[in-house]
Amino acid sequence: MCGIVGYVGARPAQGLLLEGLRKLEYRGYDSAGISVIADGQIEAVRAVGNLAALQSKARERGGARSRRGAAVALAEKPARTGIGHTRWATHGRVSEENAHPHFDNADRVHVVVNGIVENYMALKQRLLEAGCVFTPRPTPR
């Protein structure tokens, strides 16, 4: 079962998000991720497996990272806003690409979703018409 955690406040967000996700562990899941805002940029880390895999990956990288590789731990100010998600794959394979948070091509918007977006085709069509580019779906093995 999926779960969402968010934080906006004065305390550093990353540890609070990971602790919130830890409290959701009993629900079962196959992947997890967090995104935080640090120094005006959104940074993310996602991992397949249990929360220990996400925590290990975040430590290994020195904190959450964006696709560009900038580490949150190196930011001047700690991130004080963020979201986290645990995923149970009801649609799509278990992979880091399918783990949440998902983000746009400009790395400006990160979202987490619980449940199924029933009108995804209509939403996708509107986004395509607006010039958005979608990541190609990997070929099944």
Side-chain angles (χ1 to χ4, degrees), residues 29-42:
Y29 56 91
D30 53 56
S31 57
I34 60 171
S35 287
V36 295
I37 299 175
D39 290 338
Q41 289 193 320
I42 306 173

Side-chain angles (χ1 to χ4, degrees), residues 7-70:
Y7 177 77
V8 176
R11 296 170 55 192
Q14 182 170 313
L16 295 170
L17 294 171
L18 291 170
E19 178 61 20
L21 293 176
R22 188 190 65 73
K23 291 182 184 217
L24 297 174
E25 279 187 300
Y26 72 93
R27 298 158 59 111
Y29 56 91
D30 53 56
S31 57
I34 60 171
S35 287
V36 295
I37 299 175
D39 290 338
Q41 289 193 320
I42 306 173
E43 310 290 344
V45 63
R46 303 182 295 184
V48 171
N50 60 21
L51 189 55
L54 178 64
Q55 290 170 318
S56 175
K57 193 169 182 182
R59 267 193 311 275
E60 172 184 300
R61 293 181 171 187
R65 291 181 183 257
S66 70
R67 291 177 290 170
R68 295 178 306 279

Side-chain angles (χ1 to χ4, degrees), residues 18 112 137:
L18 291 170
V112 297
R137 186 176 283 195

Side-chain angles (χ1 to χ4, degrees), residues 67 102-106 111 117 119-138:
R67 291 177 290 170
H102 292 300
F103 32 84
D104 70 325
N105 293 79
V111 298
V117 180
N119 64 335
Y120 78 94
M121 285 304 293
L123 292 171
K124 183 175 182 177
Q125 187 59 43
R126 282 180 55 192
L127 291 167
L128 287 169
E129 289 168 4
C132 294
V133 177
F134 285 79
T135 305
R137 186 176 283 195

Side-chain angles (χ1 to χ4, degrees), residues 84-129:
H85 187 272
T86 57
R87 178 176 186 256
W88 184 257
T90 53
H91 287 77
R93 64 188 178 88
V94 177
S95 67
E96 191 172 305
E97 294 80 20
N98 285 336
H100 297 223
H102 292 300
F103 32 84
D104 70 325
N105 293 79
D107 207 23
R108 292 181 21 205
V109 177
H110 289 216
V111 298
V112 297
V113 178
N114 269 1
I116 300 165
V117 180
E118 298 286 340
N119 64 335
Y120 78 94
M121 285 304 293
L123 292 171
K124 183 175 182 177
Q125 187 59 43
R126 282 180 55 192
L127 291 167
L128 287 169
E129 289 168 4

